[in-house]
């Protein structure tokens, strides 16, 4: 079944986001199908991260709508959207001083089951019985993202950026999202971590789940994406198959300027590999 024949699982309909009179997203439309690996590209300040924030509830949508399946999630906060199956990872995960790896992972379980806090308060014996099983699940998830399970009790501040981002991905996967939004997932990762991330994303697709990535690593995009969407100045500039879309003249111009061209023998990696703002 082609991408166009699959059900839409997340959609932006004419989404407008502005901050202090500056328009970050200008009535953008975007549909992502079930099981699709969809990548948002664009030059710095184009609105890529703002789109993820609008979809996940971290940015206020002033006009338009955001749909998760057949349900509008406009007005619902990030935690409500998470419980509806929308996961999110961050380019620079926030770290609370003295928090440990297991603390961050626990948020994944709380997002999956809103009763988990109540269980901890009102059924302490039940919670104690679940502790060993929960820690075993945490260790299994760490190993799934390529980290040693021995990191479970390690302070987050002592991790490298790459390790921290992989823990954040593990946290998001624990919630078992049907759609996972990932902001610059390869940024700060070493080659081995990028290889592991590639396997994780491919496993999501094989499982029928959907991933929407903001990404500047063009080779990663070319290797994995079913489709790419290119934003420029808060507007949708182009959308389609990765290699053809990134070679379109208007896309090259948005990245490199009005006189830019791309050689036929170019792999696009150096030409379009931009910064991380967006």
């Amino acid at each position: 079944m082609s991408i166009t024949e699959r059900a839409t699982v997340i959609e932006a309909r004419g989404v407008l986001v502005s901050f202090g009179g500056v328009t970050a997203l200008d009535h953008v439309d975007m549909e992502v199908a079930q099981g699709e690996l969809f990548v948002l590209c664009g030059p710095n300040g184009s609105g890529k991260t703002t789109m993820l924030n609008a979809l996940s509830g971290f940015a206020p949508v002033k006009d338009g709508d955001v749909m998760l399946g057949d349900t509008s999630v406009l007005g619902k906060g990030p935690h409500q959207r998470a419980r509806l199956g929308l996961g999110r990872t961050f380019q620079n995960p926030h770290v609370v001083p003295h928090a440990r790896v297991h603390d961050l992972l626990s948020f994944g379980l709380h997002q999956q089951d809103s009763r988990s806090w109540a269980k901890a308060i009102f059924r302490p014996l039940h919670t104690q019985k679940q502790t060993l099983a929960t820690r075993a699940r945490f260790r299994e998830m760490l190993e799934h993202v390529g980290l040693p399970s021995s990191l479970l009790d390690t302070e987050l501040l002592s991790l490298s950026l790459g390790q921290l981002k992989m823990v954040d991905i593990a946290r998001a996967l624990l919630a078992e999202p049907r759609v996972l939004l990932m902001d610059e997932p390869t940024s700060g990762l070493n080659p081995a971590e990028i290889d592991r991330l590639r396997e994780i994303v491919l496993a999501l697709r094989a499982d029928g789940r959907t991933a929407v990535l903001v990404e500047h690593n063009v080779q990663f995009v070319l290797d994995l994406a079913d489709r790419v969407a290119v934003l420029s100045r808060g507007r949708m500039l182009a959308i389609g198959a990765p290699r053809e879309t990134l070679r379109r003249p208007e896309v090259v111009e948005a990245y490199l300027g009005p006189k830019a061209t791309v050689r036929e023998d170019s792999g696009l990696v150096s030409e379009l590999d931009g910064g991380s703002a967006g």
Side-chain angles (χ1 to χ4, degrees):
M1 182 183 296
S2 69
I3 292 295
T4 56
E5 295 174 320
R6 300 178 193 174
T8 297
V9 292
I10 190 164
E11 180 180 4
R13 296 179 176 177
V15 166
L16 172 67
V17 176
S18 61
F19 304 101
V22 176
T23 299
L25 291 175
D26 190 359
H27 296 95
V28 175
D29 295 315
M30 188 181 84
E31 295 183 22
V32 185
Q34 179 181 351
E36 185 174 11
L37 297 183
F38 188 93
V39 178
L40 283 166
C41 299
N44 292 346
S46 59
K48 306 179 297 298
T49 294
T50 303
M51 174 57 79
L52 290 194
N53 288 339
L55 295 174
S56 54
F58 289 93
V61 174
K62 296 192 174 182
D63 194 18
D65 204 353
V66 174
M67 305 291 294
L68 189 59
D70 296 326
T71 303
S72 172
V73 293
L74 210 62
K76 295 185 182 296
H79 293 291
Q80 293 170 299
R81 298 186 195 195
R83 287 172 186 148
L84 291 173
L86 185 59
R88 171 72 191 274
T89 70
F90 297 88
Q91 181 180 354
N92 295 298
H94 179 69
V95 176
V96 177
H98 309 300
R100 299 180 182 275
V101 169
H102 63 76
D103 295 319
L104 182 56
L105 294 177
S106 68
F107 282 106
L109 294 183
H110 296 319
Q111 288 174 334
Q112 183 185 31
D113 183 0
S114 61
R115 299 170 299 171
S116 56
W117 285 108
K119 287 178 181 178
I121 296 172
F122 298 111
R123 300 180 63 190
L125 291 178
H126 171 86
T127 302
Q128 290 173 15
K129 291 179 181 178
Q130 293 297 311
T131 298
L132 291 178
T134 298
R135 286 178 65 85
R137 187 177 179 190
F138 287 173
R139 290 191 180 96
E140 181 180 307
M141 187 57 70
L142 287 176
E143 292 173 354
H144 176 68
V145 299
L147 295 175
S149 60
S150 58
L151 288 179
L152 187 59
D153 296 311
T154 302
E155 285 198 13
L156 293 169
L157 286 173
S158 70
L159 300 179
S160 69
L161 176 58
Q163 289 175 321
L164 179 60
K165 293 185 73 166
M166 297 307 284
V167 173
D168 192 45
I169 291 170
R171 184 268 311 160
L173 293 175
L174 277 165
E176 300 181 359
R178 55 176 171 154
V179 181
L180 180 58
L181 311 179
M182 308 178 79
D183 194 1
E184 294 283 0
T186 68
S187 176
L189 269 58
N190 62 38
E193 290 166 337
I194 292 176
D195 287 343
R196 185 62 194 136
L197 175 64
R198 183 180 288 106
E199 294 175 4
I200 291 168
V201 175
L202 288 174
L204 283 172
R205 180 167 62 184
D207 198 33
R209 289 187 277 176
T210 301
V212 181
L213 282 65
V214 165
E215 188 52 66
H216 274 292
N217 183 329
V218 178
Q219 192 59 57
F220 191 83
V221 173
L222 294 175
D223 288 345
L224 293 181
D226 293 304
R227 289 188 299 154
V228 300
V230 182
L231 291 171
S232 179
R233 299 180 181 180
R235 295 183 178 181
M236 185 63 73
L237 181 64
I239 188 168
R243 192 170 297 276
E244 292 78 6
T245 301
L246 293 178
R247 288 182 180 273
R248 289 172 60 170
E250 63 270 32
V251 172
V252 176
E253 179 178 334
Y255 270 99
L256 302 176
K259 296 183 180 180
T261 59
V262 176
R263 301 185 312 273
E264 284 301 315
D265 61 347
S266 171
L268 296 174
V269 175
S270 60
E271 286 87 346
L272 300 186
D273 193 7
S276 59

